[in-house]
Amino acid sequence: MVIKEYGCGDWKIVLELEVPKPDKKPITEDCDIIGIDLNVSNFLVDSEGREIRNLKNLLYNKYKRIKKEQKKLSKKEKGSNNWKKQKKRLAKAHKKLRDARRDFLHKLSRAYVDKYDVIAVEDLDSKNLSEGEGSVLNRHIANYAWNEFTSLVAYKASQAGEQVIEIRAKNTTKNCSNPGCSNKVDKELFDRVHECRECGLEIDRDLNAAINIVNRAISLVGQGLSEVKPLDTSTSAGTTLVPVSRVVEQGSPFQNP
Ligand SMILES: [Zn+2]
């Protein structure tokens, strides 16, 4: 058992239980597989065209609160009673941010693990974390959140006997995702559309990456699974925006049946 004090008066008690891990379910042609591209400009795009962005909106006020409390703390005399009180307020503000982020990521990872049997993500160590547009705040949020999201997905999947396949990030953005087309399309950060001169495919840049991720996983482990074809995805060429609020309020990015 671990007991942790947050410095803001809140306590956390962690009970550790040994739960036997189920065996990994075999990958068969009936498995539902999804590829997920994590990027700075929109938190996540999956290979079926769902796009979750503006995580910043959910957390922005909480960041602002931290900055405010930090500023106030810097004006207090170090070690004084008021300084101690202010330090508590700052710790509370940090905790609120952490809790909101974790709540969102727990729900999101749970929904993907419940819906799919195999989840393919990029190996974050091989991904260029500076790639992508966005402010420092956006990058900061993204870096934290990606790591937390992928570790939550891995943990929940292993509890369910499901598999997470990590894919090297090399060229997932450049390569054309149309099966049979091996063209590489160089892109600037502001190029939001993948336009292939070889095969004529025009799709959202991040959707193209997510399809490359799922197809790499299929070529690695996908016994009998057929490759995902970009134009068979639900949205054809673009993505469908899923509001962060839907994940928070309904507990899932997927539309209720
Ligand atoms: Zn192509």
Side-chain angles (χ1 to χ4, degrees), residues 176 181 196 199:
C176 180
C181 179
C196 178
C199 71

Side-chain angles (χ1 to χ4, degrees), residues 4 35 47 49 63 73-74 77 88 121 131 148-149 168 188 190 198 209 216 219 225 232 236 239 248:
K4 192 178 169 192
S47 54
Y63 265 104
L73 184 70
S74 69
E77 192 191 329
K88 255 189 185 174
V121 288
E131 194 183 84
E148 212 167 332
F149 177 73
R168 272 196 73 208
E188 298 294 335
F190 51 80
E198 292 287 321
R216 269 188 209 179
S219 67
L225 282 165
D232 289 346
S236 294
T239 55
V248 174

Side-chain angles (χ1 to χ4, degrees), residues 29-41:
E29 58 189 21
D30 302 326
C31 279
D32 283 323
I33 182 167
I34 190 88
I36 295 178
D37 177 60
L38 299 165
N39 56 72
V40 174
S41 44

Side-chain angles (χ1 to χ4, degrees), residues 146-209:
W146 287 347
N147 278 306
E148 212 167 332
F149 177 73
T150 50
S151 64
L152 286 171
V153 166
Y155 154 76
K156 289 183 207 297
S158 84
Q159 292 292 318
E162 288 166 8
Q163 305 210 28
V164 175
I165 313 291
E166 286 201 350
I167 302 297
R168 272 196 73 208
K170 194 163 188 253
N171 290 336
T172 45
T173 306
K174 286 184 189 173
N175 286 0
C176 180
S177 62
N178 215 0
C181 179
S182 55
N183 192 23
K184 277 195 180 70
V185 183
D186 282 320
K187 294 176 185 74
E188 298 294 335
L189 292 176
F190 51 80
D191 289 331
R192 301 308 308 157
V193 177
H194 166 85
E195 288 179 69
C196 178
R197 290 209 180 138
E198 292 287 321
C199 71
L201 180 68
E202 270 189 38
I203 58 170
D204 176 87
R205 167 208 183 103
D206 303 322
L207 177 59
N208 182 65

